[in-house]
Amino acid sequence: MRHLGAFLFLLGVLGTLADICEIPGVDIQLVEKLGQRLLPWMDRLSREHLNPSVYVGLRLSSVQAGTKEKLYLRSLKLDYQQCLLGSAFSENDSDCQAKPSMGRLSLYLLAVRANCEFVSGRKGDRLISQLKRFLEDEKRAIGHNHKGHPHTSYYQYGLGILALCVHQKRVHDNVVGKLLYAVEHDHPLQQSHFSVDTAAMAGLAFTCLRRSNFNPDQRQRITMAIRTVQEKILKAQTPEGYFGNVYSTPLALQLLMTSPMSGAELGTACLKAKVALLASLQDGAFQNALMISQLLPVLNHKTYVDLISPDCLAPRVMLEPATTTVPQTQVPETISVTLQVLSLLRPYRQAIPVLAGSSLEDVLKKAHELGGFTYETQASLSGPYLTSVMGKVAGKREFWQLLQAPNTPLQQGIADYRPKDGETIELRLVSW
C-alpha cells in the first residue's frame, strides 16, 4: 500500500495544479516487474504465439529485452511476410494456414515503425496495399448509408488507419469518413455500452492524421471527433478511477495524454486513473500481453501516436527474468467453481474441480473433459472469446457474456479471469 499512498498524496497535491493529462514518475521497480511479464512471450516464436503488440509495448517503454527484441522482430518479419506475401515469393506457403487479420497486420506495421523503420520496397508496398484493401472491404460492409457494420470492428478499423498514418501513408477521405461518422453518431461505437477502447483507438487514429496534416478537407471534422471521444471517455470514468474498466484505461490514457484540451478536470481525471491502475497492478492485474503492452508506454509518457517519429536512441533499463522461489513441499490446492448456462432450453449447471489459480478458460476445458458441456472460441487481439456454448452460436448482434453470479459482468476475458473457490460463473447469451 506504500505506493498507493504516495499516489493518493500526489493526487491531493497535484490535482489542483495539473491542467493536462500527465503521469507522475512511477517506481521503476514496478515498471520492471510489469515488463518481466512480457519476457516469456519473447521466447514464444511460433506462429500462434507471435504478437506484434508485445514488441510495440516494449519499444515505447522505459525497459528493454536486449537481443530478444531483435530476434522477436526478425521472427515477426519472416512470419508476416511469408503469410501475406508467401504465394508471390515462395512456391510453398501451405504451412501458413490463415493469413493475419487486419488488426494483426496493423499491429505488425506498428512494430516495424517502433524500430524506426518504414515499410518499403516491393514487399512493403504489398503489405500497405493489403491493409488498404482490408479497410476498403470494411468500408463497403458499413455501406454508403452507414447502416452496416465492419466485418471485424471499429477498433480494428481505427487501428488500421493509425498504422497507415505512422508510416506516412495517406488514407482516402471516404475511408476516414466512415470512422468519423461512427464517432459523430455514437451508436456504431457501442454494443451494450459505450466502448472506451474503441473510442480511444479512433481518437489516436484521428490525432495521427491531424498531426501529420493528412486529409485536410476533413480537418475540422477530425478535430471535433477527437474532442468528442475525449469528452465521452472522461464521462465514462468510474468512481474507482477507471475509464470504462481497468483494461480499457491504458488506451484511454494514451489518447488523453495527446489531448489539446486542458483544465483541472482533465488533470484530476488522469491522476485518479493512475491511482486506480497502480492499485490494480498491486492486486496482480495485467497478465494479458496486449494489456501490458498498452500500459507500458503510458508509464513512459508515450503513446502510439509517438510512432510518427519514434525515439530509438532513448536509454531503456535492461530487464532480467523474474526469480521466484517455489517451496519444495508445495501441494497443489483444488478448488470448486460452479459453471452455469441458464439462457438455453436445457440449462447447464455443474461444479467443476480445478487447481487454484486456474483461469476461466481452464474451467471451461475441464468442464468439457468431464462431459456434458461444449464450447467454441475465437482468437482476437485481446484474447480468446466465446462464440458458441452448448451448440448455441452467438448471432450477428449477440455475444456470450461472462458474469459472476448473479449479475456482475466480468471485467476480464476467459484467458485472464481466475475464479475463486466456491464462485459461480454464468455464461449468458445477450443481444445488443
Side-chain angles (χ1 to χ4, degrees):
M1 297 297 292
R2 177 172 58 87
H3 298 296
L4 181 57
F7 260 64
L8 289 170
F9 174 77
L10 282 170
L11 181 61
V13 174
L14 299 178
T16 58
L17 301 178
D19 287 335
I20 59 176
C21 189
E22 288 186 325
I23 297 185
V26 179
D27 189 338
I28 185 61
Q29 291 185 342
L30 287 177
V31 178
E32 287 181 17
K33 288 180 180 178
L34 195 62
Q36 285 171 341
R37 297 178 190 176
L38 287 184
L39 286 181
W41 287 87
M42 304 295 287
D43 295 323
R44 300 171 185 174
L45 303 180
S46 60
R47 175 167 294 122
E48 62 269 23
H49 289 122
L50 281 171
N51 189 336
S53 65
V54 172
Y55 183 83
V56 176
L58 280 174
R59 293 293 296 186
L60 288 175
S61 75
S62 58
V63 294
Q64 63 163 309
T67 56
K68 285 189 176 183
E69 287 184 11
K70 296 179 180 178
L71 178 59
Y72 200 80
L73 180 61
R74 180 175 179 272
S75 298
L76 282 171
K77 288 181 175 180
L78 289 174
D79 185 69
Y80 276 70
Q81 290 182 7
Q82 177 183 350
C83 283
L84 286 164
L85 309 175
S87 58
F89 295 97
S90 171
E91 294 182 358
N92 182 19
D93 62 341
S94 58
D95 60 330
C96 186
Q97 297 177 358
K99 293 185 182 298
S101 66
M102 181 172 75
R104 291 281 180 170
L105 174 56
S106 301
L107 284 172
Y108 168 71
L109 293 177
L110 292 186
V112 173
R113 190 71 193 107
N115 195 45
C116 291
E117 298 178 46
F118 288 107
V119 289
S120 59
R122 189 155 65 105
K123 292 184 179 181
D125 289 344
R126 292 195 63 196
L127 291 174
I128 294 296
S129 296
Q130 179 65 59
L131 182 52
K132 287 186 175 182
R133 282 194 295 273
F134 275 138
L135 285 169
E136 285 290 336
D137 289 343
E138 296 293 69
K139 183 195 73 174
R140 284 192 290 271
I142 296 169
H144 69 279
N145 57 4
H146 304 276
K147 294 187 180 297
H149 301 275
H151 295 301
T152 56
S153 65
Y154 279 102
Y155 180 96
Q156 292 198 35
Y157 197 91
L159 178 60
I161 292 175
L162 175 64
L164 291 172
C165 178
V166 299
H167 278 275
Q168 299 182 5
K169 303 299 181 182
R170 298 180 183 273
V171 182
H172 288 305
D173 279 352
N174 53 14
V175 173
V176 176
K178 296 298 182 186
L179 191 59
L180 285 169
Y181 186 94
V183 170
E184 292 163 351
H185 293 78
D186 192 36
H187 62 275
L189 287 180
Q190 58 187 8
Q191 293 183 4
S192 59
H193 60 281
F194 175 67
S195 176
V196 170
D197 53 357
T198 297
M201 183 57 72
L204 289 169
F206 293 144
T207 301
C208 182
L209 294 176
R210 188 186 62 188
R211 291 190 181 182
S212 302
N213 294 315
F214 289 163
N215 305 90
D217 293 341
Q218 304 268 29
R219 187 169 183 84
Q220 184 175 356
R221 290 180 69 192
I222 288 172
T223 300
M224 287 299 299
I226 294 171
R227 178 173 292 274
T228 296
V229 295
Q230 289 171 344
E231 290 175 349
K232 287 185 176 296
I233 286 172
L234 287 174
K235 290 179 181 178
Q237 189 166 35
T238 67
E240 296 80 12
Y242 304 122
F243 295 115
N245 60 53
V246 59
Y247 297 104
S248 57
T249 298
L251 202 61
L253 281 171
Q254 284 200 36
L255 175 63
L256 295 176
M257 288 166 59
T258 69
S259 175
M261 298 168 58
S262 62
E265 179 188 4
L266 175 63
T268 301
C270 289
L271 286 170
K272 187 177 178 182
K274 286 144 216 167
V275 173
L277 283 176
L278 183 59
S280 295
L281 283 173
Q282 293 175 329
D283 290 340
F286 290 96
Q287 303 295 329
N288 180 283
L290 176 65
M291 304 307 154
I292 295 174
S293 68
Q294 291 178 350
L295 177 58
L296 281 174
V298 171
L299 301 179
N300 193 36
H301 315 284
K302 298 289 185 182
T303 77
Y304 289 159
V305 177
D306 287 301
L307 294 176
I308 295 174
S309 182
D311 182 3
C312 290
L313 298 179
R316 295 185 292 149
V317 176
M318 182 67 70
L319 288 171
E320 298 294 339
T323 56
T324 56
T325 302
V326 180
Q328 294 182 354
T329 58
Q330 186 176 25
V331 178
E333 177 189 359
T334 300
I335 64 173
S336 177
V337 178
T338 298
L339 186 65
Q340 65 182 31
V341 187
L342 306 179
S343 56
L344 299 176
L345 291 177
R346 299 182 61 182
Y348 169 90
R349 180 180 171 87
Q350 183 68 43
I352 309 299
V354 292
L355 294 179
S358 296
S359 68
L360 180 53
E361 188 173 20
D362 294 326
V363 175
L364 299 179
K365 290 178 180 178
K366 185 65 175 179
H368 179 67
E369 292 173 4
L370 293 174
F373 178 81
T374 61
Y375 72 101
E376 293 180 3
T377 64
Q378 183 170 322
S380 73
L381 292 175
S382 57
Y385 65 92
L386 289 169
T387 58
S388 171
V389 175
M390 305 296 284
K392 177 62 176 177
V393 179
K396 188 172 184 180
R397 300 182 70 86
E398 296 177 322
F399 67 98
W400 282 100
Q401 188 177 30
L402 312 175
L403 300 108
Q404 184 182 49
N407 286 304
T408 303
L410 298 184
Q411 301 292 336
Q412 298 168 272
I414 61 174
D416 298 308
Y417 186 71
R418 282 162 171 72
K420 300 179 179 62
D421 187 27
E423 190 171 351
T424 297
I425 301 296
E426 180 178 349
L427 312 181
R428 184 183 300 172
L429 185 65
V430 298
S431 302
W432 56 273

